[in-house]
Amino acid sequence: MKAQKKKRAAFAVRSFFSGLLFVCAFADVNALAQQQQPQFTPQAEDPDSYPDAPGRDDAFYACAGCHAFRLVANQGLSRERWDETISLMSERHGMPKLEGKDREIILNYLAKTYPPKTDQNRGFQNPFLKQ
Ligand code: HEC
């Protein structure tokens, strides 16, 4: 009789603690989930955020309609690769074809401002000096 009581008490204690553990774990996960909510502050992009050079506004308005211009600015490509990228945007993503002078101006801007990344400008970059 006594032994059975002890067992029952032990079981009760164990269930209590595992229940507590469960609640704590759950609360923790919840707290974490709340902490990890992205602090999203929408920022309107405008051409002034990017290095000033001839063709900047044309490039910005041609490319920023479908995705952030940041996506473009994050690349570092050779002139040929930029040229291919422009074609790709038209062929695959339905960008109005860029031809003649417009294409030249935009291509010049992209190739000059976003050339392939060298070892020199890889690694830490001071965000205050960048733009
Ligand atoms: C008609 C819509 C549209 C326009 C205009 C547009 N793009 Fe894109 N672009 C896309 C889509 C769709 C993707 C693929 C989805 C994504 O990565 O957001 C993409 C992706 C990219 C990528 C990323 C490719 C990769 O490998 O990750 C680059 C670079 C890019 N575009 C450059 C440009 C440039 C430069 C211009 C302007 C000359 C431009 N885009 C204009 C639709 C467009």
Side-chain angles (χ1 to χ4, degrees):
M1 244 346 221
K2 256 191 185 170
Q4 225 176 13
K5 251 191 190 169
K6 249 192 200 165
K7 252 191 208 161
R8 231 182 277 155
F11 178 73
V13 169
R14 233 185 300 138
S15 333
F16 174 75
F17 279 113
S18 50
L20 200 65
L21 204 68
F22 178 75
V23 170
C24 287
F26 189 68
D28 259 355
V29 166
N30 256 350
L32 261 180
Q34 267 168 11
Q35 271 171 16
Q36 283 172 354
Q37 292 268 317
Q39 299 287 311
F40 182 70
T41 331
Q43 280 180 327
E45 275 203 319
D46 73 75
D48 292 340
S49 326
Y50 298 97
D52 194 9
R56 178 186 64 182
D57 291 11
D58 305 81
F60 182 88
Y61 290 113
C63 307
C66 298
H67 45 66
F69 194 75
R70 170 72 39 217
L71 179 71
V72 177
N74 279 343
Q75 319 284 324
L77 306 175
S78 65
R79 193 182 169 86
E80 291 70 44
R81 293 288 310 282
W82 275 122
D83 200 36
E84 285 166 20
T85 302
I86 292 175
S87 302
L88 196 81
M89 289 303 128
S90 300
E91 284 155 22
R92 192 175 297 164
H93 299 309
M95 181 177 81
K97 273 221 160 85
L98 261 179
E99 278 160 349
K101 205 144 194 248
D102 290 341
R103 188 182 181 108
E104 192 71 13
I105 290 169
I106 290 170
L107 187 55
N108 283 344
Y109 178 77
L110 294 174
K112 185 168 168 241
T113 319
Y114 304 111
K117 295 186 168 89
T118 61
D119 284 345
Q120 255 180 353
N121 57 17
R122 215 172 273 150
F124 176 75
Q125 293 184 14
N126 186 334
F128 299 103
L129 291 178
K130 216 179 162 190
Q131 282 156 12

